[in-house]
């Protein structure tokens, strides 16, 4: 029943990409949740599916940080 | 002792507690008796072409042992000739020159009708007028009351007609039987209203008798919808007052009405933007002398807060009332159960398990004693457990400091939008 474990998995996946300098470049939100597209400045691409509300909130915080850092 | 005097759009009174236009303000005898008890003002029961009332008229909703949690009436405006009311108003004002005597008015939506009644009522020396655009039953079927008050253009036009003739401040009383009360409040302001008062009663049917199948109340076996008021409507009224108070388009004072039963309710309405309050059901339930407790309680509260005047309360909570999209999504509270106070009744566990997020576990110690524990990482801070808990301080909601900066939905959407969000086909339709 607990979403917390699933959120931790989603957070860990996002953190792993961010720690490797990936940037969030696209977000698709739909009835199933969110798909986060990431790109590495060196050319790599990745995609993370987020199902939990906490995961989408965490992703939103990352986007705002990225937005703030870029402006 | 704090200064309890208020001034609502030029109408001053010794305290913020006014009787609302209703059965308690039907006669000079009643209003003078109320002033003797300590009420600061009264809005005289609505004057207009005298009507004929029904028998019976009132009904109440009692809930879990609380008498009159809600109150329903199908009584109409005054059934006495205008001359009789005016004579008593003049006598009352003469005896109580420092109290606020405001008179509620309702006539057909015709300019000459409004001019006539305004002039005749003001001639006896009233402090202000309140236009009844809110009564939901009976009069509405004749094109008056809420039938007028639900149409912003009629609210504006009639207010304007009144202002053409009026020398005293004009308060427009609004109906809650509308989707967005700020629309009619803005119309009143546009028409020149000096203040608004809200809310009038809410369309209601108190109940159905399960033996006779008659409505409650009924008039010889037939019923009609009435107006609902009393403690049950307070949250609805408070929100409507707050919405008007925070509207950037409304800059006139507010007289708060709706389920105000004690000094705390009054203080809440004033914090949410009301300059003063009007009360009816509580007086009908407990008599005029409840105002003594209201005055004492408000005085003590202001002293405790170090405030010299009740006016310092007005609108202080309005900036804290916003739209959902501006709330901080990173703010978090979780429930904590205090074992010393918990009686292990299980209500929190059942509520959380059945209707919330399944994060309160019933556990056992090694010696077989049951206890309840919140799995904080799964708690969404909904408050339900603390709400249903029958023991004071057995469950508290504790703020968890966030490691993130505040982030609202609107900020989130702006940030995501700025990066060119890709929305899946159909996603917009699903919102």
């Amino acid at each position: 029943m607990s979403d917390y474990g699933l959120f931790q998995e989603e957070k860990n996946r996002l953190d792993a990409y961010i720690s490797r300098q990936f940037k969030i470049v696209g977000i698709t939100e739909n009835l199933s949740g969110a798909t986060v597209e990431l790109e590495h400045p060196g050319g790599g691409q990745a995609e993370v599916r987020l199902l939990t509300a906490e995961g989408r909130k965490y992703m939103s915080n990352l986007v705002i940080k990225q937005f703030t850092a870029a402006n | 002792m704090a200064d309890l005097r208020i001034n609502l759009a030029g109408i001053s009174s010794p305290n913020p507690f006014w009787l609302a236009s209703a059965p308690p303000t039907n006669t000079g005898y009643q209003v003078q008796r109320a002033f003797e008890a300590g009420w600061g003002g009264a809005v005289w029961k609505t004057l207009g072409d005298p009507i004929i009332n029904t028998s019976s008229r009132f009904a109440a909703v009692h809930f879990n042992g609380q008498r009159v949690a809600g109150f329903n009436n199908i009584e109409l405006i005054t059934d006495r000739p205008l001359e009789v009311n005016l004579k008593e108003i003049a006598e009352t004002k003469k005896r109580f020159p420092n109290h606020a005597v405001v008179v509620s008015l309702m006539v057909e939506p015709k300019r000459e009708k409004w001019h006539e009644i305004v002039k005749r009522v003001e001639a006896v020396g009233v402090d202000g007028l309140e236009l009844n655009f809110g009564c939901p039953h009976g009069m509405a079927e004749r094109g008056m009351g809420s039938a007028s008050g639900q149409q912003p253009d009629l609210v504006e036009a009639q207010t304007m007609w009144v202002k053409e003739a009026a020398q005293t401040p004009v308060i427009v009383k609004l109906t809650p039987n509308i989707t967005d009360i700020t629309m009619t409040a803005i119309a009143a302001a546009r028409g020149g209203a000096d203040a608004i008062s809200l809310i009038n009663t809410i369309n209601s049917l108190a109940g159905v008798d399960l033996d006779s199948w008659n409505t409650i109340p009924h008039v010889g076996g037939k019923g009609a919808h009435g107006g609902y008021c009393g403690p049950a409507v307070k949250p609805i009224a408070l929100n409507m007052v707050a919405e008007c108070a925070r509207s950037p388009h409304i800059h006139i004072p507010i007289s708060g009405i709706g389920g105000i039963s004690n000094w705390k309710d009054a203080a809440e309405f004033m914090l949410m933007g009301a300059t003063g309050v009007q009360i009816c059901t509580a007086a009908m339930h407990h008599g005029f002398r409840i105002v003594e407790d209201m005055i004492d309680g408000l005085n003590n509260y202001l002293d405790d807060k170090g405030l010299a005047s009740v006016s310092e309360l007005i609108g202080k909570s309005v900036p804290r009332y916003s739209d959902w999209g501006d709330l901080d999504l990173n703010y978090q509270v979780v429930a904590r159960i205090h074992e010393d106070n918990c009686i292990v009744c299980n209500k929190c566990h059942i509520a959380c398990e059945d209707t919330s997020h399944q994060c309160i576990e019933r556990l056992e110690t090694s010696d077989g004693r049951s206890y309840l524990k919140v799995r904080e990482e799964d708690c969404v801070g909904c408050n339900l457990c603390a709400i249903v808990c029958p023991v004071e301080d057995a469950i508290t909601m504790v703020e968890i400091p966030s490691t993130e900066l505040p982030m609202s939905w609107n900020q989130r959407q702006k940030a995501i939008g700025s990066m060119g969000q890709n929305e899946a086909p159909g996603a917009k339709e699903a919102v």
Side-chain angles (χ1 to χ4, degrees):
Chain A
M1 294 293 253
S2 168
D3 270 358
Y4 184 69
L6 183 53
F7 161 60
Q8 282 297 325
E9 282 178 26
E10 293 174 346
K11 178 178 181 296
N12 290 342
R13 289 177 65 197
L14 281 169
D15 283 347
Y17 284 115
I18 298 297
S19 69
R20 287 160 51 201
Q21 313 305 317
F22 275 75
K23 300 271 185 220
I24 298 172
V25 294
I27 294 158
T28 303
E29 295 191 289
N30 56 30
L31 291 173
S32 304
T35 303
V36 185
E37 296 165 45
L38 302 107
E39 270 181 19
H40 193 274
Q45 291 186 332
E47 198 173 276
V48 176
R49 294 276 299 128
L50 302 176
L51 303 181
T52 67
E54 285 300 308
R56 293 195 300 280
K57 188 197 297 184
Y58 186 70
M59 169 270 285
S60 307
N61 280 308
L62 290 177
V63 170
I64 285 182
K65 282 179 195 156
Q66 187 178 294
F67 178 75
T68 308
N71 290 285
Chain B
M1 293 280 278
D3 183 356
L4 293 188
R5 289 175 299 173
I6 62 158
N7 186 310
L8 181 106
I11 305 169
S12 56
S13 67
N15 64 54
F17 301 111
W18 294 7
L19 283 172
S21 169
T25 60
N26 189 42
T27 65
Y29 171 77
Q30 290 169 288
V31 174
Q32 290 173 37
R33 191 172 152 82
F35 287 165
E36 283 165 3
W39 292 86
V43 182
W44 207 274
K45 188 174 168 70
T46 305
L47 307 185
D49 290 342
I51 52 76
I52 301 168
N53 268 314
T54 59
S55 171
S56 60
R57 305 176 194 180
F58 304 150
V61 173
H62 311 304
F63 187 77
N64 264 1
Q66 183 187 333
R67 304 286 296 178
V68 197
F71 192 84
N72 176 86
N73 87 86
I74 57 169
E75 187 170 295
L76 306 183
I77 65 172
T78 187
D79 56 7
R80 305 186 312 149
L82 183 65
E83 294 74 14
V84 174
N85 278 299
L86 294 181
K87 181 169 172 287
E88 293 175 14
I89 290 167
E91 287 167 2
T92 304
K93 191 61 203 168
K94 193 174 173 191
R95 262 197 77 196
F96 294 91
N98 298 321
H99 288 62
V101 177
V102 175
V103 177
S104 173
L105 305 176
M106 182 195 288
V107 291
E108 290 170 59
K110 292 178 180 164
R111 177 185 244 147
E112 64 277 11
K113 287 270 187 186
W114 280 110
H115 283 189
E116 181 196 357
I117 197 163
V118 164
K119 286 172 187 164
R120 292 185 66 183
V121 169
E122 284 195 333
V124 298
V126 302
D127 296 306
L129 307 170
E130 185 181 79
L131 314 188
N132 182 342
F133 295 154
C135 228
H137 51 272
M139 307 311 288
E141 292 164 27
R142 305 170 201 180
M144 293 177 270
S146 66
S148 280
Q150 287 162 337
Q151 295 194 139
D153 55 340
L154 272 180
V155 170
E156 182 179 350
Q158 292 182 95
T159 305
M160 213 179 297
W161 296 336
V162 169
K163 286 295 289 180
E164 287 169 352
Q167 303 294 313
T168 61
V170 174
I171 306 167
V172 172
K173 187 168 181 178
L174 302 173
T175 175
N177 300 307
I178 189 167
T179 307
D180 181 358
I181 201 162
T182 64
M183 292 296 106
T184 44
I186 290 167
R190 225 170 21 226
D194 298 290
I196 47 174
S197 56
L198 58 148
I199 60 174
N200 206 307
T201 54
I202 302 170
N203 288 341
S204 62
L205 170 59
V208 176
D209 186 302
L210 292 179
D211 292 323
S212 66
W213 298 358
N214 274 328
T215 62
I216 304 171
H218 73 91
V219 178
K222 267 193 180 169
H225 84 268
Y228 198 50
C229 53
V233 313
K234 184 197 131 191
I236 298 166
L238 190 58
N239 170 60
M240 289 186 171
V241 165
E243 291 296 346
C244 288
R246 77 187 185 96
S247 167
H249 308 294
I250 301 167
H251 304 289
I252 51 178
I254 299 168
S255 180
I257 314 169
I260 297 162
S261 305
N262 51 49
W263 70 267
K264 290 181 180 174
D265 295 337
E268 288 179 41
F269 273 75
M270 294 187 76
L271 285 166
M272 269 303 172
T275 297
V277 296
Q278 297 184 34
I279 293 162
C280 170
T281 307
M284 292 181 76
H285 189 184
H286 301 294
F288 288 149
R289 290 192 63 183
I290 53 159
V291 77
E292 294 170 10
D293 285 346
M294 292 179 180
I295 291 169
D296 285 349
L298 188 58
N299 245 321
N300 293 337
Y301 173 70
L302 294 171
D303 288 348
D304 288 348
K305 285 282 182 189
L307 299 176
S309 166
V310 70
S311 297
E312 293 176 55
L313 288 180
I314 300 168
K316 288 294 189 294
S317 293
V318 174
R320 297 165 189 247
Y321 203 51
S322 184
D323 294 318
W324 189 94
D326 294 325
L327 304 181
D328 179 12
L329 297 173
N330 285 327
Y331 178 78
Q332 191 190 4
V333 290
V334 297
R336 284 222 179 117
I337 297 170
H338 304 287
E339 275 192 59
D340 289 349
N341 297 336
C342 176
I343 58 172
V344 201
C345 69
N346 236 15
K347 281 193 80 74
C348 62
H349 170 71
I350 292 165
C352 188
E353 202 69 11
D354 287 356
T355 64
S356 193
H357 283 72
Q358 302 79 46
C359 66
I360 298 180
E361 295 178 343
R362 189 179 167 94
L363 305 168
E364 274 194 7
T365 60
S366 54
D367 58 358
R369 183 176 57 83
S370 295
Y371 67 102
L372 295 151
K373 190 170 174 55
V374 177
R375 231 175 31 255
E376 290 189 8
E377 65 271 23
D378 284 318
C379 177
V380 300
C382 71
N383 295 341
L384 180 62
C385 55
I387 290 167
V388 302
C389 178
V391 181
E392 199 71 28
D393 295 330
I395 301 177
T396 51
M397 303 304 296
V398 182
E399 192 173 321
I400 303 295
S402 176
T403 55
E404 304 286 355
L405 292 170
M407 174 188 66
S408 71
W409 173 258
N410 291 337
Q411 290 169 324
R412 171 198 193 270
Q413 293 304 92
K414 187 178 171 193
I416 290 176
S418 71
M419 67 188 305
Q421 184 189 9
N422 307 313
E423 268 189 90
K428 277 185 179 162
E429 286 86 350
V431 168

